[in-house]
Amino acid sequence: VKVDFSFNDLGQAGAQTLSNMLPKCNNLHSLRLRGNGFKPEHITKITDAVILNNSIKRLDLGMNIRPGKHVLQFSQTLA
């Protein structure tokens, strides 16, 4: 299953909801969350939930935060 929630202004509430439900979604393979106004702490919650989910193979969080130290730290965490 592919889900695209891009450009829906999910923000903090959406990040919290996603972080609660993603570990339970075992048939989700692709999740697009571009341009939802997520801050670095929201992205951390979401990615922590994705790590607990064994089925997600593609995660797109583009256009949420400006490039900077948080993006570098996040990319190093995934490496």
Side-chain angles (χ1 to χ4, degrees):
V1 174
K2 296 178 182 179
V3 176
D4 188 347
F5 289 131
S6 296
F7 305 102
N8 281 295
D9 196 27
L10 298 177
Q12 180 179 358
Q16 185 61 49
T17 300
L18 287 166
S19 68
N20 290 335
M21 68 165 224
L22 286 176
K24 302 169 192 166
C25 295
N26 296 324
N27 61 344
L28 183 61
H29 300 283
S30 176
L31 180 60
R32 293 190 59 163
L33 298 170
R34 296 176 65 81
N36 277 294
F38 295 135
K39 295 181 179 178
E41 60 269 21
H42 305 148
I43 290 175
T44 299
K45 282 186 179 187
I46 292 167
T47 54
D48 286 348
V50 167
I51 289 168
L52 297 174
N53 179 305
N54 294 322
S55 67
I56 296 176
K57 303 300 179 204
R58 179 181 167 121
L59 176 63
D60 185 351
L61 289 163
M63 300 179 70
N64 278 291
I65 56 176
R66 285 182 246 156
K69 70 176 185 176
H70 298 345
V71 174
L72 178 60
Q73 290 170 348
F74 174 67
S75 64
Q76 289 172 342
T77 301
L78 294 178

